[in-house]
Amino acid sequence: MNNQLDNLRDELDDVNIKLLELINERGRLVKELGDIKKAQGMKAYDPERERDMLNHIIDQHEGPFEYATIEHIFKQIFKAAKELQEEDYHKTLLV
Amino acid sequence: MNNQLDNLRDELDDVNIKLLELINERGRLVKELGDIKKAQGMKAYDPERERDMLNHIIDQHEGPFEYATIEHIFKQIFKAAKELQEEDYHKTLLV
């Protein structure tokens, strides 16, 4: 029984690290997207595109979490990436 | 240039779906862990283990996000999983 607990905990640790890697990969993609958009004179943040992404995620969702929970977690992830773009933008202004 | 934007958006959508799958996989693991612990008369929620997981994640973190941002996102993910265990527990009480 306790072996089973240990195995599940190891699996959980692996999933945590994979999540970390994906969240950071997402951050790098959003930064890259923001840089290209700024170079084209476009605003980096696009609320409509964010809504579309969220709808696409919700469409694919099958549980066990509630839709509202998934939406909440992704909004935190999106918000973090937005801050990363803004931070970058402010740094540009200061140069 | 716009092809490059489209490609990055496609990559972002892929990362979003992978994140969704991992968050849900994590939910299933936490539920399974909680069930085993309850069957052994243990409390499902263990704040010390949660702190250890968070420290392990932070140790592996290399950016681009701030440590505080990563901690915040993971606390939301942990909180959701905790609610899933509690929900399950309340359902058991009602049977």
Side-chain angles (χ1 to χ4, degrees):
Chain A
M1 203 58 137
N2 283 330
N3 252 352
Q4 209 180 345
L5 272 185
D6 286 342
N7 289 344
L8 283 169
R9 280 182 179 140
D10 287 346
E11 277 187 65
L12 203 56
D13 282 332
D14 284 348
V15 169
N16 286 339
I17 299 306
K18 278 188 208 158
L19 274 170
L20 175 70
E21 286 167 356
L22 274 176
I23 289 168
N24 283 322
E25 188 182 333
R26 195 183 186 284
R28 286 186 289 271
L29 285 171
V30 168
K31 262 186 102 159
E32 208 179 325
L33 257 166
D35 289 346
I36 295 176
K37 286 166 95 178
K38 276 178 234 157
Q40 296 192 9
M42 293 158 80
K43 273 195 178 172
Y45 177 58
D46 178 351
E48 203 176 319
R49 161 80 183 143
E50 192 169 298
R51 190 64 249 173
D52 284 349
M53 280 196 296
L54 209 48
N55 288 341
H56 183 61
I57 292 162
I58 293 297
D59 277 352
Q60 305 284 317
H61 179 53
E62 293 179 340
F65 290 110
E66 304 277 342
Y67 288 99
T69 305
I70 292 297
E71 198 162 318
H72 173 72
I73 293 173
F74 272 95
K75 278 188 180 167
Q76 303 302 311
I77 295 172
F78 289 177
K79 194 168 153 253
K82 209 172 85 184
E83 282 165 5
L84 207 66
Q85 284 181 330
E86 281 165 6
E87 194 183 291
D88 228 44
Y89 183 65
H90 290 307
K91 272 190 204 142
T92 317
L93 286 181
L94 291 172
V95 172
Chain B
M1 203 58 139
N2 283 331
N3 251 352
Q4 209 181 343
L5 272 185
D6 286 342
N7 288 344
L8 283 169
R9 282 182 178 138
D10 286 346
E11 277 187 65
L12 202 56
D13 282 333
D14 284 349
V15 169
N16 287 339
I17 297 307
K18 279 187 207 156
L19 274 170
L20 174 70
E21 286 166 356
L22 275 175
I23 290 167
N24 283 322
E25 188 182 332
R26 195 182 186 286
R28 286 186 290 271
L29 285 170
V30 168
K31 262 186 100 158
E32 209 179 325
L33 257 166
D35 289 346
I36 295 176
K37 286 166 95 178
K38 275 178 236 159
Q40 296 192 8
M42 294 158 80
K43 272 195 180 172
Y45 177 59
D46 178 350
E48 203 176 319
R49 161 79 183 143
E50 193 169 296
R51 190 64 249 173
D52 284 349
M53 278 196 296
L54 210 47
N55 288 341
H56 183 61
I57 292 162
I58 292 299
D59 277 350
Q60 305 285 318
H61 179 53
E62 296 180 337
F65 290 110
E66 305 277 342
Y67 287 99
T69 306
I70 291 297
E71 198 162 319
H72 172 72
I73 293 173
F74 272 95
K75 278 188 179 167
Q76 303 303 311
I77 294 173
F78 290 178
K79 194 168 153 253
K82 210 172 85 184
E83 282 165 6
L84 208 65
Q85 284 181 329
E86 281 165 6
E87 193 184 292
D88 228 43
Y89 183 64
H90 290 307
K91 271 189 204 144
T92 317
L93 286 181
L94 291 170
V95 173

